[in-house]
Amino acid sequence: MTVLITGARGNIGSAIVTRLAADGHAVRASARDTTTLDVPAGVETATLDLTRFAGKTLTDVETLFLYPTRGDCRDFLTAAKEAGVQYVVLLSSPASFEHGECDGPIGLVHRGVEQALADSGLRHTILYPSWLATNARRDWGEEIRAENRISLAHPDAQVSPIHLDDIAEVAAALLTEDAHRGRMQVLTGPESLTQREIAGVLAEETGRAITIAELTREQALARRAPWMPESVLAALLDASALAVGVPALLTNTVERITGHPARPFRAWAAAHLADFG
């Protein structure tokens, strides 16, 4: 039987595909546009839009990794149930339950997908990963490369960065083994760090003298990237303000499921020095 991975072009989806393929599992990697999919040899690809489901994408699928999407995916989930899919792993966000975020734009999107999955009757586990280590590359990489600087609001907000390989290992284990298939699994890195401390780790690993330019809320909103909706950035700023001086949640879920401790942020940084020039 086959494991179907939706959102396989993304950082997490592609990491899960690679992990499952390396372990010898039959994998079908799907995306709305498969022309840019880069998958290991032997991995099948399929074009799939969760909000406009059609075709035979679910043929012989036993388990499914569900990447959250804006829009209605209920028809796809109904089809998955009818096709005999036995189990689903949903990637969600702590924003769906955290104070200050659960009723915001990010939390509501994730809660909507969670509810649709619950209504489908499919057996499932929801993953709640903490602050992704790759956020450092996405949000700060360009400025570090150009100016050795990070401009951000609330640099003393605390997060627990999680390595994407840990998320991929947990998801792969849940998709292929019956153990640990609870209703939810909260995944975190091994330590609570301020964003200022994360910048310090990047400075040490890259050998760059990275400085921090602290922004006001208004300045941060004015610097909003075109791809980031203003309401989403506002919600993220509110959440980071609440996290100043507050230790981030830590769990041992990664170690319980994979058998090894969660990887520290420094391990991710050391492996991605080229991303910062």
Side-chain angles (χ1 to χ4, degrees):
M1 296 293 283
T2 300
V3 182
L4 173 63
I5 308 299
T6 70
R9 283 197 306 161
N11 290 328
I12 295 175
S14 61
I16 298 171
V17 169
T18 299
R19 179 74 188 187
L20 289 169
D23 290 343
H25 298 286
V27 186
R28 183 174 299 147
S30 72
R32 291 179 178 177
D33 178 7
T34 60
T35 59
T36 57
L37 269 181
D38 183 13
V39 299
V43 171
E44 180 185 354
T45 62
T47 301
L48 174 62
D49 183 338
L50 294 174
T51 65
R52 299 180 179 179
F53 176 71
K56 300 180 179 180
T57 312
L58 291 164
T59 301
D60 295 326
V61 171
E62 182 174 1
T63 61
L64 159 68
F65 175 76
L66 184 62
Y67 191 87
T69 185
R70 291 180 180 273
D72 191 350
C73 62
R74 291 177 184 271
D75 287 347
F76 171 76
L77 294 173
T78 297
K81 179 73 171 178
E82 294 173 350
V85 172
Q86 298 298 301
Y87 175 72
V88 178
V89 174
L90 170 64
L91 179 70
S92 192
S93 165
S96 71
F97 62 79
E98 288 281 13
H99 170 67
E101 296 186 86
C102 60
D103 293 324
I106 304 172
L108 290 174
V109 167
H110 287 281
R111 286 170 59 191
V113 179
E114 291 176 19
Q115 189 60 56
L117 181 55
D119 292 343
S120 74
L122 287 161
R123 187 179 176 216
H124 64 274
T125 297
I126 303 172
L127 297 185
Y128 296 107
S130 59
W131 196 88
L132 305 180
T134 50
N135 288 350
R137 175 176 60 201
R138 182 196 69 187
D139 298 339
W140 306 338
E142 182 178 353
E143 191 175 19
I144 289 175
R145 290 190 297 270
E147 303 181 51
N148 285 337
R149 185 178 66 205
I150 298 172
S151 299
L152 75 162
H154 314 303
D156 294 310
Q158 297 194 43
V159 295
S160 54
I162 186 166
H163 199 297
L164 261 63
D165 286 350
D166 286 336
I167 301 173
E169 280 193 51
V170 168
L174 292 170
L175 288 163
T176 58
E177 304 169 11
D178 194 50
H180 304 294
R181 287 181 174 176
R183 186 177 65 83
M184 57 184 283
Q185 297 288 359
V186 179
L187 312 178
T188 75
E191 54 193 342
S192 178
L193 298 173
T194 66
Q195 294 189 75
R196 192 186 303 276
E197 289 171 330
I198 293 171
V201 172
L202 289 173
E204 292 171 5
E205 291 296 326
T206 61
R208 289 174 171 265
I210 298 173
T211 60
I212 290 181
E214 187 167 355
L215 305 177
T216 65
R217 176 186 176 85
E218 291 71 25
Q219 289 171 330
L221 288 170
R223 291 170 58 93
R224 176 176 60 88
W227 55 267
M228 173 75 75
E230 184 173 357
S231 61
V232 172
L233 178 56
L236 292 173
L237 290 170
D238 290 342
S240 63
L242 291 171
V244 173
V246 180
L249 173 69
L250 300 178
T251 72
N252 66 348
T253 306
V254 169
E255 184 168 10
R256 286 193 301 108
I257 295 178
T258 67
H260 66 76
R263 297 169 173 88
F265 177 78
R266 188 177 295 275
W268 180 88
H272 294 86
L273 296 180
D275 296 337
F276 302 94

